[in-house]
Amino acid sequence: MNKKIILYIATSLDGFIAKEDGNIDWLTKYENSGEDYGFKELHDRIGTVFVGGTTFRQIEDAYKGKEAYVFTKTKIKKKADNIHFVSGDVEEIVNNLRLGENKYIWLAGGAALVNQFLSADLIDEYIITIIPVLLGKGISLFQGKNPESNLKLLNTKSYKSGLVQLHYV
């Protein structure tokens, strides 16, 4: 597959994408700040979204107008024709998908899915927004025995709200 997969995700300063119970309510303050954090630009670049089941249930509105592939073992009620449920080996699934040639793919999370993609060396770009919050414990963005990866920093952006965004390839 020659489509770029872009991990675009937010993490606390101490590296968590959610609280231990999966709750992401600590992000709400920043979602309603009036700042876009590059989401519109990303949304314009992508045609497809890859997302885990838990993340899908938490941010369903983000996938409007895009083909969304939900990686899940749990049955979820399909709400739209653009939503597709898949399970199994991520590398095999990604390689077998017939994706349009004109847009990139957003890897939206969660942590288990991100780490499967990382282990299979399927992530081309990392856009990670650091939220100025220390959660103390929770679900880590990077888990397990991922391969060593040397990334190149393309850009950093800081926002009035205190967020910092890192863009790597």
Side-chain angles (χ1 to χ4, degrees), residues 17-19 21-31 58 135:
I17 61 169
K19 294 179 180 176
D21 63 359
N23 192 311
I24 58 171
D25 63 353
W26 54 279
L27 291 169
T28 306
K29 170 184 173 183
Y30 300 97
E31 291 172 353
Q58 291 178 327
L135 293 178

Side-chain angles (χ1 to χ4, degrees), residues 40-85:
K40 183 186 179 329
E41 180 183 336
L42 172 84
H43 205 261
D44 289 347
R45 288 176 67 193
I46 63 164
T48 306
V49 179
F50 292 158
V51 62
T54 301
T55 304
F56 172 76
R57 287 186 289 276
Q58 291 178 327
I59 57 171
E60 288 184 44
D61 290 342
Y63 319 119
K64 288 183 180 174
K66 307 295 178 186
E67 290 298 310
Y69 291 87
V70 183
F71 290 75
T72 183
K73 295 174 188 159
T74 307
K75 192 94 166 149
I76 302 173
K77 184 180 177 188
K78 186 174 180 176
K79 297 183 180 188
D81 290 338
N82 66 314
I83 307 297
H84 313 280
F85 297 98

Side-chain angles (χ1 to χ4, degrees), residues 68-149:
Y69 291 87
V70 183
F71 290 75
T72 183
K73 295 174 188 159
T74 307
K75 192 94 166 149
I76 302 173
K77 184 180 177 188
K78 186 174 180 176
K79 297 183 180 188
D81 290 338
N82 66 314
I83 307 297
H84 313 280
F85 297 98
V86 294
S87 63
D89 178 75
V90 295
E91 192 167 13
E92 184 177 318
I93 291 167
V94 169
N95 288 331
N96 289 327
L97 291 176
R98 303 282 185 246
L99 302 171
E101 292 299 319
N102 60 343
K103 295 281 184 167
Y104 296 125
I105 300 162
W106 170 27
L107 176 58
L113 186 62
V114 167
N115 284 276
Q116 288 176 53
F117 272 74
L118 186 59
S119 291
D121 194 27
L122 293 172
I123 303 172
D124 299 295
E125 290 185 40
Y126 298 75
I127 302 173
I128 301 174
T129 303
I130 309 298
I131 311 296
V133 170
L134 295 170
L135 293 178
K137 55 186 173 178
I139 300 170
S140 295
L141 172 57
F142 300 115
Q143 307 169 341
K145 298 177 181 174
N146 292 316
E148 183 176 321
S149 300

